[in-house]
């Protein structure tokens, strides 16, 4: 059975970003054998004209984070997207497997050690966190990185 990975991202708000930026990431994750739960795709049936649509989407995303095996969070921006940060915080609190992706070169930290706010690394190991941190799409399927090993392992 494939592990379910929640792909926390802000790219679904833009057709261009969804096609150009999100698509290659999904392909890499699927190539590794992950069952990708991409929130914009999973919620594309929502009728935005109905009252309560935003609450329903938030609850669906919350349930998906609860029910996934891990999270691959795109943390670009200064600061990164608020929704992604909430989803990541929930995943950290639930002890999910955490993987961070940032190909944004701008600094977003007050630490010399971490490239982002130190709290985003709370779900990663103190030493070797770099194996869970991705800076380019090409590294997503690297055998040297934690995601590859996690997806290939039989234990969840």
């Amino acid at each position: 059975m494939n592990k379910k990975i929640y792909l926390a991202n802000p790219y679904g708000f833009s057709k261009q970003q969804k096609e150009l930026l999100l698509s290659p990431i999904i392909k890499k994750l699927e190539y590794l054998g992950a069952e990708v739960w991409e929130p914009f795709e999973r919620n594309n049936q929502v009728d935005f004209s109905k009252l309560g649509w935003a609450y329903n989407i938030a609850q669906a995303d919350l349930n998906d984070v609860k029910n996934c095996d891990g999270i691959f969070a795109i943390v670009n921006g200064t600061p990164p997207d608020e929704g992604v940060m909430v989803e990541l915080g929930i995943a950290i609190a639930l002890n999910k497997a955490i993987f961070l992706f940032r190909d944004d070169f701008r600094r977003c930290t007050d630490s010399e050690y971490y490239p982002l706010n130190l709290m985003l690394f709370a779900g990663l190991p103190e030493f070797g966190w770099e194996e869970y941190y991705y800076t380019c799409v090409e590294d997503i399927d690297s055998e040297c990185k934690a995601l590859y090993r996690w997806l290939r392992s039989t234990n969840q």
Side-chain angles (χ1 to χ4, degrees):
M1 184 158 148
N2 293 356
K3 291 183 180 174
K4 298 175 285 295
I5 193 158
Y6 186 89
L7 180 50
N9 75 90
Y11 294 158
F13 295 110
S14 161
K15 182 180 178 186
Q16 182 173 337
Q17 286 183 335
K18 188 173 183 178
E19 291 173 5
L20 298 177
L21 302 177
L22 193 57
S23 180
I25 293 171
I26 291 171
K27 286 178 184 168
K28 286 278 191 174
L29 294 171
E30 288 175 342
Y31 171 77
L32 287 173
E35 180 182 333
V36 180
W37 288 6
E38 197 284 309
F40 292 96
E41 190 63 34
R42 289 176 67 84
N43 292 317
N44 67 3
Q45 73 285 351
V46 171
D47 184 350
F48 295 108
S49 69
K50 294 197 178 196
L51 189 63
W53 67 266
Y55 180 82
N56 292 333
I57 287 176
Q59 291 302 306
D61 290 350
L62 172 62
N63 286 326
D64 279 354
V65 172
K66 286 180 180 178
N67 293 312
C68 71
D69 299 306
I71 186 169
F72 191 89
I74 299 174
V75 291
N76 286 334
T78 55
D81 179 76
E82 302 95 342
V84 172
M85 295 301 91
V86 171
E87 293 161 339
L88 183 56
I90 293 166
I92 291 170
L94 294 173
N95 292 314
K96 302 290 182 177
I98 307 294
F99 307 94
L100 303 176
F101 179 89
R102 182 177 178 85
D103 61 354
D104 188 337
F105 65 87
R106 297 171 292 174
R107 287 188 51 82
C108 189
T109 184
D110 53 3
S111 165
E112 293 301 320
Y113 187 60
Y114 297 115
L116 291 157
N117 183 294
L118 60 95
M119 289 306 294
L120 300 183
F121 295 85
L124 302 183
E126 180 180 4
F127 302 104
W129 60 265
E130 297 90 346
E131 294 180 26
Y132 298 79
Y133 185 78
Y134 297 79
T135 58
C136 65
V137 173
E138 293 77 23
D139 283 347
I140 292 173
D141 60 357
S142 170
E143 294 180 19
C144 300
K145 299 289 257 178
L147 178 64
Y148 180 91
R149 293 190 303 274
W150 178 75
L151 286 171
R152 299 292 190 206
S153 72
T154 55
N155 300 336
Q156 290 190 25

